[in-house]
Amino acid sequence: MEDIKPESFRDKPLNIDETGKSKRIIAKQPKGKWYTRRTIFAWFCILFLVFAPIIKINGNPLMLFDVINRKFSIFGNMFYPQDTFILALIMLVIVVFVVLFTVVYGRLFCGWACPQTIFLEMIYRRIEYIFDGNHRNKSKENYDSFSKTIRTIGKHISFIIVSFLITNLFIMWFTGPDKLWQIISSPISENKLGFLFMAGVSLFYYFVYAYLRQQICTFFCPYGRLQGVLLDSKSISVIYDFKRGEPRGAKNEGDCIDCGQCIAVCPTGIDIRNGSQFECVNCTACIDECNIVMNKVKKPGNLIRFDSYHGVETGNHSIKNARTYAYSAVLFVLIIALGITVSKRTSIDVSFNRMQGTLCQEVDSVTVSNIYTVKLINKSSIDKNITFKLLDVPNANLQFTNDISKLKADTNTESVLMLNLPKQQLKAHSTDLKIGVYDGDNLITTNTINFIGPQK
Ligand code: SF4
Ligand code: SF4
């Protein structure tokens, strides 16, 4: 690691050299309580990523974003384009939650739950430790050149295989496991485009994890860039206790012995002692490493820890401020609105639209007819027996051009409705009528349609 002159860390990111070229950071493998916790949590996230599209709740996948067929399953609830309002509300709740979470806990998501970090730290880097040796022990330097070449080839083949598996996982979130299996089990000649896409995405992942790595977090990720505006002095993040640590150096009275181990273990190559920096993904590796050092020199641990600048400065660790209250209030209102909207959502979506170019037809001297196109979507995983009743005129005659009474689970259908009404029922030229949609005897939803009668 190069020597860093005081304040020079502000001139450029540490993983960029004087000419603007990126430098490869080879960090030591972390070791300690936080790394163990992070490993457990990361594998829980990986299991969720693998099984969420496979596990079914009420016949629907736990998670599925089937963009091609325009249906999305979120925790077993199927949403369609007709539910755009709910999807928009869900997005808003997520955005406000992320903002609130970031204001309070900083970039914790990046180090612990972001798929980029999880795959990089828990899979690709572990493969690297196997083939190149753990940089803690500098074991790679002990290999002869033949062994190094074989190990490098083995590492990159493993990277390519894992990238291919991650691509399949990514595709499964959009297609579901059955469709994915159909794609990968069919001959390449039958699905050239699909395989080209798969190969392209696999190569992209390989390039990201084998070469770009932490540059995704420092240069490309928009969330990382937002930290500057979201964090304040009360936000919790990985922080160096400068009050306890300084003046640093083995012979000084501060607790930091200036061993540089916190830098050696950092995957983004920064020195956390310079304060909060946009490259820090809150991975906690430096906390573990510094605790090992503190233990060796018989000083109290947590010189680097989760805390806020305000907490280190004053000893007051409160996370409450006006912004946390404001975001919490907005989040609360949004969650209530989402809850109400979801509770009012029906399992059947019905729309009636007057057929283009038609108004009213006089069937005979006593009957008038209007024609509508009817669209029905069964958003549930249960087959439905659909019937319609005009609630305002119980004896009205409803004629459909095709049978739409049997509506299978997760399907849609459409028909043309001829609604015949006795003229004497019509009090005005234009009348709004309520039409009930039933599943067996259960009223599912009520729609209002407009009926045009002859000019009075
Ligand atoms: S690991 Fe701890 S003691 Fe060593 S330089 Fe970093 S902060 Fe100082
Ligand atoms: S400074 Fe510490 S927490 Fe931040 S990225 Fe580096 S090792 Fe992880």
Side-chain angles (χ1 to χ4, degrees):
M1 192 63 58
E2 68 181 324
D3 279 345
I4 310 159
K5 295 180 203 82
E7 300 295 303
S8 68
F9 70 92
R10 297 192 198 281
D11 300 344
K12 59 180 172 56
L14 225 112
N15 49 5
I16 297 284
D17 68 16
E18 300 299 336
T19 62
K21 259 182 89 179
S22 65
K23 290 187 291 182
R24 192 169 179 79
I25 307 282
I26 300 181
K28 276 169 68 174
Q29 182 176 15
K31 193 170 93 174
K33 151 180 110 176
W34 286 103
Y35 189 55
T36 308
R37 286 178 188 170
R38 205 152 59 96
T39 305
I40 294 167
F41 186 74
W43 279 102
F44 173 77
C45 293
I46 291 172
L47 287 178
F48 178 77
L49 285 172
V50 172
F51 288 105
I54 298 172
I55 293 171
K56 297 217 165 165
I57 294 181
N58 300 328
N60 296 323
L62 184 63
M63 300 299 276
L64 178 73
F65 298 106
D66 188 349
V67 180
I68 293 173
N69 295 308
R70 300 192 299 162
K71 53 186 189 181
F72 309 91
S73 180
I74 300 174
F75 295 111
N77 295 298
M78 205 49 108
F79 294 96
Y80 294 82
Q82 291 73 15
D83 299 311
T84 308
F85 182 66
I86 295 180
L87 291 170
L89 262 180
I90 292 173
M91 289 301 296
L92 258 178
V93 168
I94 292 171
V95 168
V96 176
F97 175 77
V98 166
V99 169
L100 174 63
F101 188 84
T102 311
V103 165
V104 178
Y105 291 109
R107 213 173 167 179
L108 196 62
F109 170 83
C110 301
W112 287 65
C114 172
Q116 159 72 15
T117 315
I118 287 176
F119 289 135
L120 178 60
E121 298 298 329
M122 298 298 151
I123 299 182
Y124 287 87
R125 264 204 232 275
R126 304 259 176 149
I127 290 173
E128 201 159 65
Y129 297 143
I130 292 170
F131 285 98
D132 288 353
N134 180 351
H135 299 289
R136 290 193 88 79
N137 316 322
K138 299 198 178 327
S139 45
K140 191 177 183 184
E141 288 159 21
N142 302 326
Y143 304 141
D144 59 34
S145 66
F146 177 74
S147 175
K148 271 187 191 166
T149 310
I150 295 293
R151 283 169 179 274
T152 305
I153 293 170
K155 178 177 79 175
H156 284 280
I157 289 174
S158 307
F159 280 179
I160 289 170
I161 293 170
V162 174
S163 301
F164 179 72
L165 291 176
I166 293 178
T167 302
N168 280 276
L169 184 59
F170 167 74
I171 293 173
M172 187 164 69
W173 272 66
F174 293 90
T175 61
D178 299 340
K179 180 77 184 151
L180 175 67
W181 177 245
Q182 195 190 324
I183 294 171
I184 50 182
S185 59
S186 61
I188 293 180
S189 56
E190 280 177 23
N191 202 354
K192 284 185 197 146
L193 210 65
F195 276 94
L196 267 178
F197 176 76
M198 236 179 214
V201 177
S202 301
L203 279 177
F204 172 74
Y205 280 139
Y206 168 70
F207 179 64
V208 164
Y209 290 113
Y211 297 103
L212 282 181
R213 302 198 150 195
Q214 73 286 336
Q215 290 181 55
I216 294 290
C217 314
T218 52
F219 299 129
F220 297 97
C221 175
Y223 177 61
R225 295 285 166 150
L226 272 177
Q227 308 305 308
V229 283
L230 293 178
L231 301 194
D232 62 19
S233 62
K234 283 192 171 177
S235 302
I236 304 284
S237 64
V238 173
I239 194 164
Y240 163 70
D241 187 340
F242 46 87
K243 288 193 109 176
R244 215 187 100 191
E246 300 296 319
R248 67 184 72 165
K251 295 196 178 114
N252 286 321
E253 68 221 38
D255 278 359
C256 172
I257 59 166
D258 206 14
C259 62
Q261 292 307 300
C262 49
I263 309 172
V265 82
C266 176
T268 59
I270 60 169
D271 183 348
I272 193 66
R273 295 173 300 168
N274 290 329
S276 181
Q277 293 147 75
F278 79 95
E279 296 99 328
C280 176
V281 292
N282 276 226
C283 72
T284 65
C286 54
I287 302 182
D288 277 335
E289 201 60 24
C290 188
N291 280 342
I292 292 172
V293 175
M294 289 295 108
N295 195 27
K296 278 186 190 155
V297 297
K298 309 243 177 312
K299 288 186 177 175
N302 292 329
L303 179 60
I304 303 175
R305 60 175 180 268
F306 270 120
D307 205 339
S308 63
Y309 180 84
H310 184 257
V312 170
E313 185 78 14
T314 64
N316 175 0
H317 306 288
S318 166
I319 53 170
K320 295 175 203 150
N321 61 22
R323 282 207 300 168
T324 18
Y325 285 124
Y327 290 132
S328 302
V330 174
L331 184 62
F332 180 72
V333 171
L334 283 171
I335 289 173
I336 297 284
L338 180 64
I340 293 171
T341 318
V342 170
S343 68
K344 289 194 167 175
R345 182 174 174 265
T346 57
S347 56
I348 299 282
D349 212 83
V350 193
S351 67
F352 294 88
N353 290 303
R354 181 177 300 287
M355 186 168 263
Q356 268 192 348
T358 65
L359 279 177
C360 80
Q361 293 79 39
E362 296 204 29
V363 180
D364 52 40
S365 57
V366 290
T367 313
V368 186
S369 154
N370 275 200
I371 305 177
Y372 306 88
T373 53
V374 185
K375 289 186 180 162
L376 272 167
I377 302 172
N378 183 354
K379 297 190 280 192
S380 73
S381 53
I382 302 162
D383 296 352
K384 302 275 181 191
N385 274 318
I386 301 292
T387 48
F388 297 87
K389 259 184 225 159
L390 204 59
L391 302 177
D392 305 312
V393 191
N395 57 349
N397 176 255
L398 287 81
Q399 290 178 355
F400 290 92
T401 51
N402 53 308
D403 182 13
I404 53 172
S405 59
K406 301 268 179 271
L407 189 57
K408 289 205 167 298
D410 193 21
T411 56
N412 58 59
T413 186
E414 57 182 86
S415 180
V416 173
L417 164 67
M418 278 179 65
L419 180 56
N420 302 317
L421 285 186
K423 270 187 199 167
Q424 67 198 43
Q425 297 274 356
L426 301 169
K427 304 276 180 286
H429 169 58
S430 168
T431 314
D432 283 340
L433 300 166
K434 288 212 174 344
I435 186 160
V437 185
Y438 292 78
D439 172 24
D441 292 333
N442 298 327
L443 177 66
I444 308 170
T445 180
T446 308
N447 283 46
T448 302
I449 56 172
N450 181 260
F451 192 92
I452 304 282
Q455 291 284 2
K456 291 273 173 189

